Amino acid sequence: MPHLTLRRLRTAAAAAALGATALVPVVGAQSAQAAATHLVNPFVGATGYLNPDYTAEVSAQATADGGTLGATEAQVASNSTAVWMDHIGAIAGDGGRLGLRAHLDRALAQSASSGTPVVFQVVVYDLPGRDCAAIASNGELPATAAGLTTYESQYIDPIAAILADPKYASLRIAAIIEPDSLPNAVTNQNKPACATATPFYETGIEYALNKLHPIGNVYDYLDIGHSGWLGWQTNMVPAGQEYAKIAKATTAGFASVDGFISDTANTTPLNEPFLTDPDLQVGGQPLKSANFYQYNPDFDEYTYDTQMYATMVSNGFPSTIGMLVDTSRNGWGGSARPTGLNTAPTTTNAYVAANKVDQRPFRGDWCNVNGAGIGARPQAQPYGSANPIIAFLWVKPPGESDGDYPSATHPHGDPHCDPNGTQTDGNGGTYPTDALGAANVPAGQWYGAEFQQLVQNAYPSFGGSSSGGDTTPPSTPTGLTVTGTTASSVSLSWTASTDNVGVTGYDVYRNGSKLATSSTTGYTDTGLTAATAYQYTVAAYDAAGNLSPVSAAVTATTAGSGGGTGGGGGCTATYSVSNDWGSGFNANVTVTNTGSAPTTSWKVTWTWAGNQQMTNAWNATATQTGSAVSAVNAGYNGTVAVGAGTSFGLSGSYSGGNTAPTLTCTAS
């Protein structure tokens, strides 16, 4: 209701300006751009833009530090980072930094020099009442009708006009739209500043999408916070509804959004390799009950992004949306990083503290965090083409401060950035901010000590010039798949990793514990219990002992009474619950072609053992009659090659038990 009221309160002049801007000078350029091929994944086959403002900062720091550290720091400059339009003056360029057109011109030159397409990342970040739940990045525009008019006419309109210039049609422009905004609309309505700002956030983002989507080579990605913010189902479910509401309000509907990005505002690890099962019982309690997680089952960004993908699709977004992870500061390497599973602790708090790679004392710490490191390098399709995570990016440039803090001589700042400050978890716990205390640097400005730390704690690490040996780990194994199950076994396969010298073998983990090693890209786990779910991950290692990050996890349920696998007619189907919050759940079903010819269609059926009621399904047409469920392929995934697979998902509600069903799969 506030959203509609705000639009009705626009003055006649503002309404007229809105209509005029959509139809005059830019329209010709937008029409030309709209004819460009709009890719599902613009990062594939392209290189990222090297921001000269950032590379200059890195080079200056590397020169000042010198020696081995400086040589290592210099390697950071070869990675693409985003250009931030965080105030109106940034459009033309100020403070010694290039403006938007100057950056785009250099991106064109980079593309011409390399002979490959360039992806140009631009952060759209100047909403009225920006950063309503904190102080570090408050913006220049008030959360008022006048502030919204300024945002539209003096900020979004000029950006859209520049991006729509046909001169830049060959660039692939990834627009990262308004970090932290809509997550605040989901969780922080108890804060008066956020309650006031939310309708301006919603209307401003709707306007930005309406202006940017018609430009054919612009790809729009909305910020979704991070796993430590919206990972609880009580936050994720309304988040899906909020983002769907915004998309449906735009002219193009769901098509106006190409995808979503997480972790720009935080340092949450991409994977927690030794904490893969939030329901693992330690001392009679599930790991997710530890103080660090507070019953949030999403321990890392991989889990969060894959579950958020399912949530967005279930709310109406197309299955082609892409998920991005900002890996610029979530590496968590260095000497404090655990190298193996420690099963000795007998309480959840101690077990989590001993095994988490995230070294923060409190998951809510976010400002210039001690111990953080640069994460995975920018990369397209890090988990293969079938995974919803389409790329890793560096949106927040490593080494630029998250924010400053107030002091006797420095009145501005956010208490969360004070190295001597504390914050609370909302449940009576008090924790240090864990902010770096080497200097007091405003948001977006260069913070040399932070950059040094991020480089030294990078994971994967940067190769040093005097290392004297192989320090490069293999690539992360991809394509981990359950190829078969029985009542007592699970068979796995995965895609081979690569290495600068050579991959020696693979470590296989079951429920977070190392199970075995394999010299091939497959393994069969035996001696299991019937009708039981098991989670698996895989990591590659080389002769020097360098270990890759662990793969994405898969869950398999052994057959038996209530088991999750069935077969027949040339296919098998495997069922796994991806999230369960006590009264509802999300589940994934993987269909594998076990026949001798490609399928043209498939059907999966089962009967619930309890009172489960399916509420939604995606990537299949599913119906439920009583306790019986039937799911048939969608028009685009009926054809499955021999030995290959496809998947669909569903949401449901229940009370009491939620036993996995026995599936029957038929194919033709």
Side-chain angles (χ1 to χ4, degrees):
M1 192 66 178
H3 182 59
L4 296 175
T5 303
L6 179 62
R7 291 193 64 83
R8 292 187 183 122
L9 285 175
R10 293 181 184 276
T11 64
L18 175 60
T21 315
L23 296 174
V24 293
V26 176
V27 71
Q30 286 181 338
S31 297
Q33 293 278 53
T37 300
H38 199 77
L39 305 170
V40 173
N41 187 344
F43 302 95
V44 172
T47 56
Y49 172 60
L50 297 178
N51 178 349
D53 288 335
Y54 180 68
T55 57
E57 291 174 327
V58 171
S59 297
Q61 187 70 48
T63 299
D65 290 338
T68 301
L69 176 59
T72 305
E73 291 172 339
Q75 298 177 48
V76 177
S78 63
N79 292 275
S80 173
T81 54
V83 172
W84 285 64
M85 295 289 105
D86 55 1
H87 60 288
I88 292 171
I91 300 173
D94 60 4
R97 293 185 175 235
L98 299 175
L100 182 56
R101 277 196 180 276
H103 277 297
L104 291 167
D105 289 339
R106 282 163 174 76
L108 284 178
Q110 179 181 325
S111 180
S113 174
S114 66
T116 59
V118 166
V119 176
F120 178 85
Q121 304 166 48
V122 58
V123 182
V124 178
Y125 185 55
D126 200 24
L127 275 172
R130 190 181 73 191
D131 202 19
C132 62
I135 304 172
S137 298
N138 287 161
E140 62 189 348
L141 303 177
T144 63
L148 179 63
T149 298
T150 301
Y151 175 79
E152 294 174 347
S153 63
Q154 297 183 37
Y155 180 71
I156 294 297
D157 286 356
I159 289 175
I162 293 171
L163 298 183
D165 189 332
K167 176 182 180 182
Y168 305 121
S170 64
L171 297 174
R172 303 176 186 180
I173 301 171
I176 311 301
I177 298 179
E178 298 296 350
D180 276 5
S181 54
L182 294 181
N184 274 311
V186 174
T187 66
N188 285 318
Q189 293 305 289
N190 61 325
K191 297 179 182 290
C194 290
T196 298
T198 291
F200 298 102
Y201 287 2
E202 294 174 336
T203 304
I205 291 174
E206 176 191 335
Y207 185 88
L209 291 173
N210 281 337
K211 296 292 290 187
L212 296 176
H213 171 71
I215 308 172
N217 62 320
V218 172
Y219 299 81
D220 298 316
Y221 299 94
L222 299 181
D223 179 83
I224 52 170
H226 52 88
S227 56
W229 190 347
L230 299 180
W232 292 270
Q233 280 297 309
T234 50
N235 291 343
M236 187 176 290
V237 171
Q241 297 166 349
E242 173 71 14
Y243 285 88
K245 179 179 78 170
I246 299 302
K248 288 187 285 189
T250 64
T251 302
F254 289 111
S256 65
V257 179
D258 293 280
F260 303 90
I261 182 166
S262 75
D263 224 19
T264 295
N266 214 275
T267 55
T268 307
L270 185 63
N271 297 106
E272 279 288 359
F274 308 114
L275 299 173
T276 59
D277 182 3
D279 294 309
L280 179 68
Q281 296 287 314
V282 176
Q285 296 293 324
L287 287 185
K288 63 186 178 185
S289 69
N291 290 347
F292 190 72
Y293 294 117
Q294 299 183 345
Y295 286 94
N296 181 343
D298 289 352
F299 292 179
D300 54 43
E301 290 306 288
Y302 181 88
T303 304
Y304 174 67
D305 276 42
T306 52
Q307 291 186 0
M308 188 63 88
Y309 170 83
T311 298
M312 295 303 186
V313 172
S314 71
N315 277 278
F317 286 95
S319 60
T320 53
I321 57 170
M323 310 302 289
L324 305 171
V325 184
D326 185 350
T327 59
S328 60
R329 298 168 297 150
N330 69 353
W332 290 106
S335 60
R337 183 183 179 93
T339 57
L341 180 68
N342 183 348
T343 60
T346 57
T347 66
T348 57
N349 284 340
Y351 191 98
V352 166
N355 289 290
K356 65 183 175 75
V357 300
D358 185 340
Q359 294 299 306
R360 291 173 293 181
F362 174 49
R363 206 176 183 196
D365 293 339
W366 56 266
C367 189
N368 301 326
V369 176
N370 261 310
I374 291 174
R377 314 304 179 251
Q379 178 185 355
Q381 294 183 337
Y383 301 106
S385 60
N387 194 282
I389 298 177
I390 64 171
F392 297 154
L393 305 180
W394 285 5
V395 177
K396 181 70 168 65
E400 294 186 1
S401 175
D402 294 325
D404 52 353
Y405 57 91
S407 67
T409 59
H410 188 91
H412 177 274
D414 192 314
H416 292 89
C417 302
D418 186 348
N420 298 311
T422 59
Q423 50 189 328
T424 61
D425 61 9
N427 295 313
T430 300
Y431 303 87
T433 62
D434 209 34
L436 196 65
N440 194 2
V441 184
Q445 295 185 20
W446 187 253
Y447 192 170
E450 182 188 41
F451 180 70
Q452 292 169 341
Q453 170 192 263
L454 290 171
V455 171
Q456 291 168 329
N457 290 337
Y459 189 88
S461 62
F462 290 92
S465 60
S466 59
S467 58
D470 177 15
T471 60
T472 302
S475 65
T476 304
T478 60
L480 179 60
T481 304
V482 178
T483 57
T485 59
T486 68
S488 61
S489 70
V490 171
S491 295
L492 306 167
S493 69
W494 55 89
T495 302
S497 295
T498 59
D499 185 64
N500 63 319
V501 177
V503 175
T504 302
Y506 300 87
D507 288 339
V508 181
Y509 300 86
R510 182 214 295 155
N511 295 339
S513 299
K514 184 176 176 180
L515 171 66
T517 60
S518 173
S519 59
T520 68
T521 56
Y523 181 78
T524 297
D525 186 14
T526 59
L528 303 176
T529 303
T532 302
Y534 297 93
Q535 187 181 73
Y536 296 90
T537 54
V538 179
Y541 60 88
D542 60 20
N546 299 305
L547 188 67
S548 77
V550 296
S551 69
V554 296
T555 300
T557 302
T558 50
S561 175
T565 301
C571 65
T572 60
T574 302
Y575 176 99
S576 62
V577 173
S578 58
N579 206 358
D580 190 321
W581 53 97
S583 60
F585 64 98
N586 291 330
N588 295 314
V589 176
T590 299
V591 177
T592 302
N593 181 1
T594 57
S596 58
T599 67
T600 57
S601 65
W602 47 262
K603 179 179 180 180
V604 180
T605 59
W606 68 85
T607 300
W608 298 115
N611 61 3
Q612 295 97 327
Q613 288 293 315
M614 185 173 58
T615 57
N616 198 8
W618 50 95
N619 295 336
T621 301
T623 58
Q624 179 171 347
T625 303
S627 59
V629 177
S630 174
V632 298
N633 59 275
Y636 52 83
N637 63 356
T639 300
V640 182
V642 175
T646 188
S647 62
F648 65 91
L650 60 96
S651 298
S653 61
Y654 74 97
S655 60
N658 188 25
T659 303
T662 299
L663 309 183
T664 298
C665 184
T666 57
S668 60

